[in-house]
Amino acid sequence: MSYVLAIDFGTSGCRSAVYNARLEMLSSAIEEYPLILHSETEIEQDADLWWEKAKQTIRAAVAASGVPTSEICALSISSQGIAFVPIDRSGRTLFHAISWLDTRADAETEALAARYGMQALYTRTGKRLSGVYTLPKLIWFRNHHPDVYEAAWKILLPLDFIQFRLSGRCVTDHTIAGGTMFYDVSEQAWDQALLQENGLDVQKLPEIAWAGTPVGTILPEVADELGLSRETLIVNGAQDQKCAAYGAGAAEDVAAISLGTGSCLAQISSAPAADPSMRVPFFSYVRDGQWDLEGVINTAGSAYSWFRQNFAPQLSFQQLNDAAAAVPAPNPVLFFPYLSGVSSPNWGNGTGTFTGLSLSSTTGHMARAVMEGIAFNIRENLEAMQAVCGPARELRLYGGGSKSDLWCQIIADVTNIPVARLVSSETALAGAAMLAYHPLGVQTSASLSCAQRFAPDAQQAAAYQAAYEHYESIRQKYFSE
């Protein structure tokens, strides 16, 4: 039997896991690493520490699995994106990695807006102009550290950096490249004109290959250090949200929705169909000829946790869910989950808000309003996405919030689309395992399987239709750009 390693390489830590072809996790190990906070806007990480922690988790996961190392045939990575680190020809890091959370490049972002305009950049790159993307930050880096930029042999993103340390090759994938804002999302290649116009050298960037294609075999000395076979294949990974969508089974008629700290929605298109209103970012997906529309809600599970911590700390999550379940729809209390700004598809202004409160309002009303507010925002994103790639027949839900039967049912009723809760929330690791198996010719499960289904209730859906229209009228009045 053949097994694979999947690595989920995130912002705060790294997790490695051993999988079989049924997408069953046999073991896992996790290590954390810190952010380096120079200021509120200047946020970096130690890329060498990334590598050390990755090695620790690989060794621990392999040891815990009990699987003979000769049977671990390949590994692939689900990775954070947008961050970058410069290296020299020997692979030595020349500067801390500048995190995707970093927003120091305000002046460069404004200059890009003045030079190109938001619409032109969105059409080329699939992204609304923002200082979080790599393009303005890399221009800032070249302007403020020209000696380091010139000395750099390659500028690598997190996926490329770890794959380079494993294989000696500088290769990224299309989903990671698509988050840089100097990738032409229609041509599915580096946007050489955009790079050249901004004084950036395409030769410093990694090669782009499709996720699931071999990068190379592991370096012998690395294999020996990790206790892996020298024949272990390094398989091109992908950006973590795309790996999660892949593991969850996103398709043209299936939307994958995470319900964790934030919420990310993914639906697949067979054409690079940009939204003319720039409501939803779009990326290349893990397969040639596929694109991913990706809606985002900044605070989802974190909004519910915030409410409990500050307004009902005496209640467990189950007790809070029970209180929310006792409130019938339509709930007179509404919640706008803008605790960290207004994200897709509306990109307006505003902060988190309850409205409709009265002397009869209870903790249950407010808790249910938080769940419903997230569900309304999910529907807003789905409507924007489906205007581009068509309706979804099913929503595949994962993440901590999906453990709530009530929340799953509310989402089904608000969207009037059946919800399938997956057997595991480790969709990014499962997606990386699927990619690792791809070049081995081993048939895996098409995605994680469904644990439970929630069909829309016709009466509740009708009640939520009126509530959604009321919700939208308030949003447009008070929270539009």
Side-chain angles (χ1 to χ4, degrees):
M1 181 177 285
S2 61
Y3 301 87
V4 298
L5 264 166
I7 304 172
D8 187 13
F9 186 68
T11 304
S12 59
C14 174
R15 185 176 183 186
S16 294
V18 176
Y19 276 84
N20 63 25
R22 294 187 295 274
L23 298 185
E24 296 169 335
M25 183 190 293
L26 306 183
S27 65
S28 71
I30 189 168
E31 290 285 341
E32 296 183 348
Y33 34 73
L35 295 169
I36 301 169
L37 305 174
H38 297 295
S39 70
E40 289 186 3
T41 61
E42 296 173 297
I43 304 174
E44 300 171 359
Q45 287 191 303
D46 182 346
D48 293 315
L49 188 59
W50 287 347
W51 174 233
E52 292 304 317
K53 295 300 185 180
K55 290 190 292 184
Q56 289 177 32
T57 63
I58 290 171
R59 285 192 293 260
V62 170
S65 72
V67 171
T69 55
S70 61
E71 295 183 15
I72 298 177
C73 300
L75 70 81
S76 192
I77 301 169
S78 162
S79 174
Q80 61 166 303
I82 299 177
F84 67 90
V85 58
I87 65 169
D88 65 17
R89 285 189 175 275
S90 69
R92 181 174 63 95
T93 57
L94 302 179
F95 203 84
H96 280 148
I98 296 184
S99 170
W100 69 270
L101 293 165
D102 188 285
T103 56
R104 71 184 74 181
D106 283 345
E108 290 74 15
T109 304
E110 291 175 5
L112 287 166
R115 183 171 188 177
Y116 298 101
M118 291 277 287
Q119 185 70 58
L121 283 169
Y122 176 84
T123 300
R124 289 171 75 163
T125 69
K127 313 294 170 297
R128 292 172 62 96
L129 177 59
S130 168
V132 304
Y133 290 117
T134 315
L135 175 59
K137 285 189 275 207
L138 189 52
I139 297 171
W140 179 95
F141 184 74
R142 183 211 59 205
N143 291 342
H144 289 79
H145 298 280
D147 293 345
V148 181
Y149 177 81
E150 291 302 326
W153 172 55
K154 294 291 181 183
I155 305 289
L156 298 182
L157 298 135
L159 173 68
D160 336 335
F161 177 76
I162 299 299
Q163 290 186 160
F164 172 75
R165 289 289 177 93
L166 287 164
S167 69
R169 291 193 61 207
C170 295
V171 180
T172 195
D173 96 303
H174 289 267
T175 67
I176 289 285
T180 62
M181 210 168 187
F182 44 76
Y183 170 90
D184 187 318
V185 73
S186 297
E187 297 297 325
Q188 298 189 305
W190 295 127
D191 191 327
Q192 298 198 36
L194 188 58
L195 289 161
Q196 185 175 6
E197 289 160 7
N198 289 282
L200 301 174
D201 183 359
V202 70
Q203 298 303 317
K204 292 183 181 293
L205 301 178
E207 170 191 349
I208 306 175
W210 289 104
T213 59
V215 172
T217 52
I218 193 169
L219 292 169
E221 62 272 21
V222 176
D224 295 345
E225 183 181 2
L226 297 179
L228 294 172
S229 164
R230 291 189 174 193
E231 302 303 315
T232 304
L233 190 64
I234 310 303
V235 180
N236 204 19
Q239 193 259 353
D240 48 15
Q241 295 292 357
K242 315 307 178 293
C243 272
Y246 189 49
E252 290 189 58
D253 60 350
V254 175
I257 303 176
S258 65
L259 202 59
T261 301
S263 181
C264 183
L265 301 86
Q267 194 170 348
I268 309 308
S269 172
S270 59
D275 176 8
S277 300
M278 303 188 294
R279 292 172 296 176
V280 182
F282 72 105
F283 299 76
S284 289
Y285 194 47
V286 298
R287 291 283 178 264
D288 189 6
Q290 291 186 325
W291 286 261
D292 169 36
L293 283 90
E294 189 174 282
V296 176
I297 302 169
N298 291 338
T299 52
S302 57
Y304 198 62
S305 297
W306 161 84
F307 175 77
R308 174 181 170 271
Q309 179 180 347
N310 288 282
F311 297 97
Q314 75 282 7
L315 301 180
S316 68
F317 278 111
Q318 185 56 56
Q319 289 171 324
L320 193 60
N321 288 351
D322 291 343
V327 176
N331 183 359
V333 179
L334 301 177
F335 176 67
F336 294 84
Y338 306 146
L339 300 174
S340 183
V342 184
S343 51
S344 67
N346 299 310
W347 309 102
N349 301 308
T351 56
T353 304
F354 282 100
T355 186
L357 293 168
S358 70
L359 290 175
S360 62
S361 299
T362 65
T363 300
H365 284 91
M366 298 177 74
R368 188 180 185 104
V370 174
M371 290 182 170
E372 291 171 338
I374 305 301
F376 290 147
N377 275 255
I378 286 172
R379 177 168 169 175
E380 289 172 344
N381 275 283
L382 287 171
E383 288 178 348
M385 292 158 59
Q386 291 169 13
V388 177
C389 53
R393 60 173 175 80
E394 181 178 79
L395 310 180
R396 296 177 68 82
L397 208 62
Y398 56 94
S402 70
K403 296 176 183 178
S404 165
D405 288 0
L406 174 62
W407 211 345
C408 289
Q409 188 62 56
I410 286 173
I411 292 170
D413 293 338
V414 166
T415 62
N416 204 21
I417 301 172
V419 165
R421 178 167 60 204
L422 301 181
V423 294
S424 170
S425 291
E426 299 295 349
T427 50
L429 278 168
M434 291 165 65
L435 293 174
Y437 271 114
H438 191 259
L440 301 180
V442 175
Q443 183 67 40
T444 69
S445 301
S447 67
L448 288 171
S449 59
C450 170
Q452 189 172 352
R453 297 185 184 277
F454 301 83
D457 177 274
Q459 185 175 352
Q460 292 288 87
Y464 275 125
Q465 176 61 33
Y468 178 68
E469 292 171 3
H470 178 51
Y471 187 91
E472 278 294 280
S473 68
I474 294 174
R475 182 195 62 75
Q476 291 171 17
K477 184 175 181 179
Y478 294 106
F479 299 105
S480 294
E481 284 186 312

